[in-house]
Amino acid sequence: MEWTAMEINPEMMNKLGVGESWRFVDVLGLEGDQLSAVPKPCCALMLLFPLTPQHESFRVQQADKVSEGSEVYFLKQTVVNSCGTIALLHAVANNKSELSFDNDSALKKFLDDTANMSPDDRAKHLEKNQPEADKVNFHFIAFVNVDGQLYELDGKMNGVVKHGVTKEDSFITDAAEVCRGFMERERGEVRFSAVALCRR
């Protein structure tokens, strides 16, 4: 099964029912002044990057760092091109207590319906949606702060990757540091984009 790939478009993401007090914003860069322009507090960062042989090799090395059964809401990716939707769900689900959802929010309904499911069962529930497919070679992941820990959530992995301690005021800087590692592994590659979920 394949879906149409999701754009990294904050305007579109803001129409998905996360309420009035939070919004997705473009992250224009992962260093210095560009990063300081991201509104705070920020509770999630989504990174879009090209899938390359270097990335796939890194993921194999990272497999032993995956955590299962944590307090983190995690959803497996079983549908091609669903990584944007899954990264969005990871960003929102792990900050649900901070958000005020619109009454008719499809995101809230999905999260409520899947709250007590395993990552595999959540994936099966998501598979019930069947948009048309496009061929893409990019991938979305999300970073969140759960209980003072920085987590990386990639639906193609078997669980979450814990990157250590973070705080509300340092989250975006800590997440950006991990993202820069993705960029450094891809020397010469410039096709990276990021959005952050921030309070209005």
Side-chain angles (χ1 to χ4, degrees):
M1 183 182 313
E2 279 187 53
W3 285 11
T4 299
M6 183 173 144
E7 287 183 43
I8 190 160
N9 179 337
E11 274 186 52
M12 185 270 307
M13 292 175 178
N14 287 330
K15 294 178 183 176
L16 297 176
V18 295
E20 303 252 337
S21 59
W22 290 82
R23 66 186 168 130
F24 285 94
V25 299
D26 281 313
V27 177
L28 301 178
L30 296 172
E31 307 233 8
D33 290 341
Q34 296 168 325
L35 200 56
S36 66
V38 175
K40 291 192 176 72
C42 172
C43 65
L45 178 72
M46 292 172 54
L47 178 69
L48 176 68
F49 59 93
L51 288 175
T52 64
Q54 294 92 323
H55 174 73
E56 296 302 330
S57 174
F58 171 70
R59 281 302 192 218
V60 169
Q61 296 168 17
Q62 203 177 25
D64 64 339
K65 295 183 177 158
V66 169
S67 305
E68 292 185 46
S70 71
E71 296 295 316
V72 179
Y73 180 100
F74 181 72
L75 169 65
K76 292 272 297 181
Q77 180 182 344
T78 57
V79 178
V80 175
N81 293 340
S82 65
C83 58
T85 300
I86 290 171
L88 178 74
L89 287 166
H90 285 151
V92 171
N94 286 291
N95 292 289
K96 196 173 165 186
S97 64
E98 299 286 326
L99 305 173
S100 59
F101 293 90
D102 297 344
N103 290 334
D104 59 349
S105 172
L107 282 173
K108 183 173 185 331
K109 179 171 178 13
F110 180 86
L111 296 176
D112 289 345
D113 290 349
T114 62
N116 296 316
M117 292 182 184
S118 71
D120 290 321
D121 288 340
R122 289 173 180 152
K124 289 175 188 161
H125 193 74
L126 187 62
E127 285 175 9
K128 294 177 185 174
N129 297 288
Q130 296 187 18
E132 293 183 24
D134 280 334
K135 181 72 176 149
V136 295
N137 202 28
F138 287 85
H139 188 58
F140 275 100
I141 59 174
F143 296 88
V144 297
N145 172 0
V146 176
D147 297 330
Q149 295 293 316
L150 175 61
Y151 288 97
E152 175 185 335
L153 298 101
D154 181 343
K156 291 177 79 176
M157 300 287 287
N158 288 324
V160 301
V161 178
K162 188 178 189 181
H163 287 284
V165 176
T166 192
K167 298 180 207 146
E168 183 177 292
D169 61 344
S170 67
F171 165 76
I172 190 71
T173 304
D174 298 337
E177 183 178 334
V178 177
C179 291
R180 285 193 300 273
F182 279 77
M183 298 170 86
E184 289 166 9
R185 279 187 292 281
E186 303 295 333
R187 297 263 179 231
E189 180 61 71
V190 296
R191 298 174 298 163
F192 290 84
S193 296
V195 295
L197 179 56
C198 305
R199 192 180 311 270
R200 287 189 188 265

